[in-house]
Amino acid sequence: MPPDEPPGAPGPRPRPGPARRAAEPLAWWTALLAVYLALVSAISLTEITVGALAAAAGAAAAVAARRVLLATGGARPPEDRGPSPAVPPARLLPPLARLPAQVVADTARITARGASGGDWTTLACPPGPAGRAAATLLMSASPGAYVGGVDPERALLRVHRLTGPSPFERSLRRAGLVDDPRHRAAHGSPPAGGDRGGDR
């Protein structure tokens, strides 16, 4: 054990092998593609291609979100640890299942109407770096919205949206990853789930 680590501190986690690292995105891709194909009215080569691409984007977002959510904690002693992630990874499964459909819907809208317009809004996010990173990543995962600024001290995201809150964003709100900052100010707490807020 290195001399600067306290007694009883857990050692570094063993790095998973290549097969295990490949299994996670493949499992996400398979599940998301199955969800997409279950939602389309007729399965064709075009739908399979679009679904495969959307599922790949969703799988990448899912893997990245899991990694940032689990990045905090670990070998640090309890007194040095920051806030634990506010959102358990399992609660992100419903939003991630919606992500491929949202990517397709936003892409179709931009193709038909262009990417001009939209407006800016402010969303609250979990205060810890892991939750903040996951909120930033997922709010920017679909073409219809992106995070243009982050205020880490107040745990706020400045988000540009082409339309109002999408079904994907509402799912993120229910999962507790983002929320209306007015609700958080009124209750004196970080996002705790629920589809609330005045800008819906």
Side-chain angles (χ1 to χ4, degrees):
M1 178 183 296
D4 57 344
E5 287 191 7
R13 294 180 180 177
R15 184 176 178 83
R20 184 174 177 182
R21 290 198 301 271
E24 182 185 4
L26 181 60
W28 275 111
W29 180 83
T30 303
L32 293 174
L33 178 59
V35 170
Y36 176 86
L37 294 178
L39 296 175
V40 299
S41 57
I43 297 178
S44 64
L45 180 59
T46 300
E47 293 290 0
I48 293 174
T49 302
V50 171
L53 294 174
V63 173
R66 183 194 63 78
R67 288 176 180 172
V68 296
L69 283 170
L70 299 180
T72 57
R76 292 179 296 167
E79 61 270 19
D80 292 340
R81 291 179 184 167
S84 59
V87 182
R91 293 186 65 183
L92 293 179
L93 293 177
L96 290 172
R98 287 183 175 270
L99 180 56
Q102 190 63 50
V103 170
V104 172
D106 286 346
T107 302
R109 182 195 184 281
I110 291 171
T111 301
R113 306 181 189 178
S116 60
D119 56 11
W120 291 91
T121 190
T122 300
L123 296 176
C125 64
R132 189 167 62 244
T136 301
L137 173 69
L138 292 177
M139 281 302 303
S140 302
S142 187
Y146 68 90
V147 176
V150 180
D151 184 342
E153 294 184 0
R154 296 189 295 166
L156 297 175
L157 305 178
R158 188 70 174 158
V159 180
H160 185 271
R161 300 183 302 205
L162 290 179
T163 61
S166 65
F168 177 63
E169 180 184 324
R170 290 194 289 269
S171 185
L172 289 176
R173 291 188 183 209
R174 286 191 293 271
L177 198 64
V178 297
D179 202 355
D180 189 319
R182 290 169 291 184
H183 175 265
R184 186 175 68 177
H187 290 75
S189 61
D195 188 5
R196 314 174 186 91
D199 64 343
R200 288 178 292 165

